[in-house]
Amino acid sequence: MKTFLNLPKFREAKVVIVPVPYESTTSYKKGTVNGPSAILKASNELYLYDHELGIEPYSVGITTLDPVKSLSKLEKLKKDKFVIALGGEHTISLPLIKRFDQKDLSILQIDAHADMKGAFDGNKLSHASVMRRVSEFNKNIVQVGVRALDKDEFDYIKENKIKTFFEFDIAKIVKSLKKRVYISIDLDGFDPSVIPDVGTPEPGGLLWDEVLSLLKEVFSKREVVGCDVVELCPSGELSSYTAAKLVYKLVGYYSSPR
Ligand SMILES: [Mn+2]
């Protein structure tokens, strides 16, 4: 497997890209297992300069780990580096979030789905239940882009005061976040015109500029502790390249001064 931007492995890097080709419970289109390698391959095509930020984000130091395939290994990842995990199905967020101290920590979830099902196909550890499992130890979940959910999920959200924004209002979203934030980006949160290749596509999603404006604001106003970008189900260049660019934007926002 290639590395992000084809950069050599580098111990002192501040940003660590972790490929997680984990797919166990996808329910519709399969192929998220190929997501990480497609993002790494597409990252070769990126321009290194970010004109919005006026920096070359790679200069912060980026390294790519060998792929991690098990959820238990993810929970043991170190916290002294800024980890961006590449999925794989959304289930991988659970161990990635669990490894942090939950005090003053919000989870910003960009997603078409609430992922709040008690269980899915009888499985409690499913991509469609991942945020429900997170909510069992941290209810500070802020959801953006959600447009497909069951009534049970809707009721659970209300009862447990999960902050689900059905309207896109950046100021209100950022205000609802605690001091520290973990960002989980399910690529189906984007409109399918932006990223068509996802396991469970849903029309009416967020646009590229909207997501970037939100992320930029979150990184400048809060301490972001880690990120994941999940559910790419690659079949064409557009989605893989866009996902790679998103990852590089995350590196850029992380490395620009607050
Ligand atoms: Mn999801």
Side-chain angles (χ1 to χ4, degrees), residues 19 47 51 56 70 111 121 129 134 147 161 164 170 188 214 219 223 228 243 253:
Y47 285 76
H51 74 90
E56 290 182 308
S70 88
D111 202 327
D121 286 345
S129 307
V134 171
R147 54 198 187 277
K161 299 191 172 62
T164 306
I170 291 181
D188 63 31
L214 171 62
F219 273 90
E223 182 199 339
D228 61 60
Y253 295 142

Side-chain angles (χ1 to χ4, degrees), residues 15-21 36 39 68 74 77 82-89 92-93 96-97 99 182-185 226-231 247 250:
V15 174
V16 177
I17 307 286
V18 183
V20 190
I39 293 173
V68 176
L74 287 178
L77 278 179
F82 188 71
V83 168
I84 304 177
L86 312 180
E89 64 171 62
I92 71 166
S93 302
L96 288 165
I97 294 168
R99 71 194 216 282
Y182 180 91
I183 301 178
S184 179
I185 304 176
C227 300
D228 61 60
V229 174
V230 300
E231 295 282 341
V247 172
L250 291 170

Side-chain angles (χ1 to χ4, degrees), residues 6-227:
N6 224 359
L7 294 167
K9 300 212 180 207
F10 168 45
R11 276 186 88 95
E12 283 74 40
K14 284 192 183 151
V15 174
V16 177
I17 307 286
V18 183
V20 190
Y22 175 87
E23 178 170 69
S24 157
T25 67
T26 43
S27 46
Y28 197 17
K29 189 175 148 198
K30 304 227 180 272
T32 62
V33 69
N34 301 316
S37 58
I39 293 173
L40 295 179
K41 186 164 172 258
S43 72
N44 261 314
E45 309 302 323
L46 291 167
Y47 285 76
L48 295 178
Y49 180 64
D50 185 319
H51 74 90
E52 178 199 10
L53 301 170
I55 57 169
E56 290 182 308
Y58 78 91
S59 60
V60 71
I62 306 175
T63 198
T64 306
L65 296 191
D66 290 335
V68 176
K69 288 173 191 159
S70 88
L71 297 180
S72 57
K73 276 190 189 141
L74 287 178
E75 203 171 331
K76 291 183 196 110
L77 278 179
K78 289 201 179 123
K79 287 171 285 187
D80 56 338
K81 306 273 185 177
F82 188 71
V83 168
I84 304 177
L86 312 180
E89 64 171 62
H90 208 162
T91 319
I92 71 166
S93 302
L94 178 64
L96 288 165
I97 294 168
K98 223 177 195 173
R99 71 194 216 282
F100 290 103
D101 180 359
Q102 302 298 313
K103 192 172 174 283
D104 289 324
L105 180 75
S106 285
I107 293 97
L108 173 62
Q109 174 197 359
I110 295 175
D111 202 327
H113 313 91
D115 292 352
M116 285 287 176
K117 293 183 200 285
F120 188 63
D121 286 345
N123 188 350
K124 291 179 83 177
L125 200 61
S126 149
H127 66 100
S129 307
V130 60
M131 288 301 158
R132 176 73 169 257
R133 296 290 88 77
V134 171
S135 76
E136 289 163 358
F137 58 84
N138 187 347
K139 292 205 177 5
N140 299 311
I141 300 173
V142 176
Q143 303 186 309
V144 181
V146 173
R147 54 198 187 277
L149 73 173
D150 290 335
K151 183 167 186 305
D152 284 356
E153 295 183 279
F154 187 81
D155 293 343
Y156 183 84
I157 283 167
K158 291 289 156 213
E159 280 159 26
N160 291 277
K161 299 191 172 62
I162 305 295
K163 296 178 193 78
T164 306
F165 285 85
F166 294 104
E167 276 171 45
F168 190 74
D169 183 327
I170 291 181
K172 280 188 189 161
I173 295 166
V174 174
K175 210 175 154 210
S176 74
L177 294 167
K178 299 207 173 273
K179 212 164 68 187
R180 296 159 61 244
V181 180
Y182 180 91
I183 301 178
S184 179
I185 304 176
D186 186 326
L187 293 170
D188 63 31
F190 283 95
D191 190 75
S193 62
V194 181
I195 301 193
D197 301 343
V198 291
T200 43
E202 191 65 43
L206 303 170
L207 299 177
W208 177 250
D209 289 345
E210 290 178 321
V211 172
L212 291 197
S213 308
L214 171 62
L215 294 173
K216 191 178 184 188
E217 194 67 6
V218 173
F219 273 90
S220 75
K221 299 276 166 63
R222 295 293 187 271
E223 182 199 339
V224 179
V225 298
C227 300

